[in-house]
Amino acid sequence: MTLLSTSLSRRGALQWVLASAAGSMPFLAQAQAIDTVKILAGFAAGGTVDTLARRVATQIAGGYAKSAVVENKTGAGGQIAITTLKAAPADGATLLVTPMSMLGIYPHTYKKLPYDPVADVTPVSLGVVFDMGFAVGPQVPASVKTVPEFLEWCKAYPTGANFGSPAPGSVPHFVGELISRAGKVDMRHVGFRGSQPAILDLLGGQIAAVSAPVGEFLPHLQGGKLRVLATSGATRNKFVPGVSTLVEQGLQDMVYGEWFGFFLPGKAPAEVVQKANAAIRTALADKDVVAGLAAMGLEARSSTPAELAALLKADGDKWGPIVKAIGFTAES
């Protein structure tokens, strides 16, 4: 081989390497960790949505992203967090954790939403599943130990016939409404910006009862100022096994649960979705995360993006007729 041909071969090889590197730049950029991932939570700090967001954020920092922060975008019953996600780039740097209600039930209760519950979000993974609890506070006499007894108390003291929930139009709200209808009692609903603000008013005696995820009550059970009268699952909740279910107390067909899920902005690329899904599933499998969520009455459970999309559709179809029968709208 001549010196000229050797030089040409080296030049060609160098050009091939440079061309290959240039062609792979988008892939290399995408393979690099995100600088900071933001996890949006639509409810107040200290609640179950916030707990899930922070547990996962701790795990995905340093891997999926160099760092992770949780932003509590409270207000409008969780809608502000979703509209914030809608406006974010679909590059994986912004995630949302939200209850099913905002995407599966709100379309049945609001004539117009500031987001499309299908087009403006991309399902990533299920996060947790849980039952509802129905609790009373110091307004209600200690002799009231079950939901039927509470309903009888409401009939005798109609000024105390009220209950709070984390958001109007949410699953906890409708569980309370269904309890009210089952007892033929007109309980006034009070909506809050999350379960913890509702529970604080419950402990302070401003409202009589609260319908919320079971885990929201666990930190407050000691001391006796708060009593969980019933849970909404098909069987007794493992976090409060001494509390009977609504069905056990004679409220037939009252079996309701909910879940929190993780979402990216709408039309997120498949590779971004898969990367986020892998990170979240790994986080939810961590034993410390599982234990930390259990302390809040939450059962860690991940899924594929397709499974989450199917679950959201099924729950939306299930709650549509219930909402219609109750007759609730956001304007009512």
Side-chain angles (χ1 to χ4, degrees):
M1 182 179 292
T2 67
L3 181 61
L4 178 60
S5 63
T6 301
S7 177
L8 288 172
S9 296
R10 287 177 178 170
R11 183 183 302 168
L14 179 60
Q15 289 174 340
W16 181 85
V17 169
L18 291 173
S20 297
S24 64
M25 283 302 289
F27 171 78
L28 291 172
Q30 204 161 53
Q32 293 173 354
I34 296 165
D35 186 43
T36 301
V37 62
K38 192 174 0 180
I39 301 180
L40 304 171
F43 296 91
T48 48
V49 175
D50 177 71
T51 295
L52 174 59
R54 293 183 189 279
R55 290 282 177 178
V56 169
T58 299
Q59 289 296 313
I60 64 178
Y64 175 79
K66 294 177 183 177
S67 63
V69 297
V70 175
E71 286 195 6
N72 299 92
K73 295 288 188 180
T74 64
Q79 293 183 52
I80 291 176
I82 301 175
T83 54
T84 303
L85 181 81
K86 173 185 173 181
D91 57 2
T94 306
L95 286 161
L96 166 77
V97 58
T98 183
M100 177 277 297
S101 297
M102 288 77 241
L103 299 172
I105 294 182
Y106 281 13
H108 301 294
T109 60
Y110 286 85
K111 291 181 179 179
K112 186 176 181 181
L113 287 168
Y115 55 85
D116 185 313
V118 175
D120 290 335
V121 299
T122 300
V124 177
S125 174
L126 189 63
V128 294
V129 295
F130 53 91
D131 296 330
M132 299 300 150
F134 191 83
V136 295
Q139 259 198 37
V140 182
S143 58
V144 174
K145 300 183 184 300
T146 66
V147 168
E149 289 175 354
F150 173 71
L151 293 171
E152 288 302 314
W153 178 82
C154 287
K155 291 175 183 177
Y157 301 93
T159 56
N162 58 64
F163 74 98
S165 82
S170 63
V171 170
H173 171 199
F174 288 131
V175 168
E177 292 285 356
L178 291 168
I179 288 172
S180 178
R181 287 169 175 261
K184 295 181 172 56
V185 176
D186 184 19
M187 284 198 295
R188 182 174 63 89
H189 171 251
V190 183
F192 288 82
R193 289 190 176 189
S195 298
Q196 288 305 308
I199 291 171
L200 287 176
D201 271 12
L202 179 73
L203 296 173
Q206 280 78 46
I207 54 176
V210 167
S211 176
V214 169
E216 300 279 8
F217 300 114
L218 297 185
H220 307 284
L221 286 178
Q222 293 183 349
K225 289 187 70 177
L226 178 156
R227 307 188 306 282
V228 179
L229 301 185
T231 57
S232 69
T235 59
R236 291 198 179 194
N237 188 277
K238 65 181 180 180
F239 301 112
V240 283
V243 178
S244 57
T245 66
L246 290 167
V247 172
E248 285 181 286
Q249 295 183 26
L251 283 76
Q252 297 302 314
D253 302 320
M254 287 282 287
V255 178
Y256 300 102
E258 199 180 5
W259 47 264
F260 300 157
F262 288 88
F263 296 82
L264 283 163
K267 298 181 180 179
E271 61 271 19
V272 172
V273 177
Q274 291 305 322
K275 184 179 177 182
N277 176 266
I280 291 168
R281 296 185 80 165
T282 299
L284 291 171
D286 182 86
K287 63 179 183 180
D288 291 334
V289 171
V290 172
L293 293 173
M296 290 291 286
L298 303 170
E299 182 182 344
R301 189 178 299 177
S302 61
S303 73
T304 66
E307 288 169 340
L308 179 58
L311 182 60
L312 177 58
K313 183 180 185 308
D315 278 350
D317 292 344
K318 170 187 174 180
W319 278 99
I322 296 174
V323 172
K324 186 176 181 179
I326 290 175
F328 173 83
T329 66
E331 292 76 27
S332 61

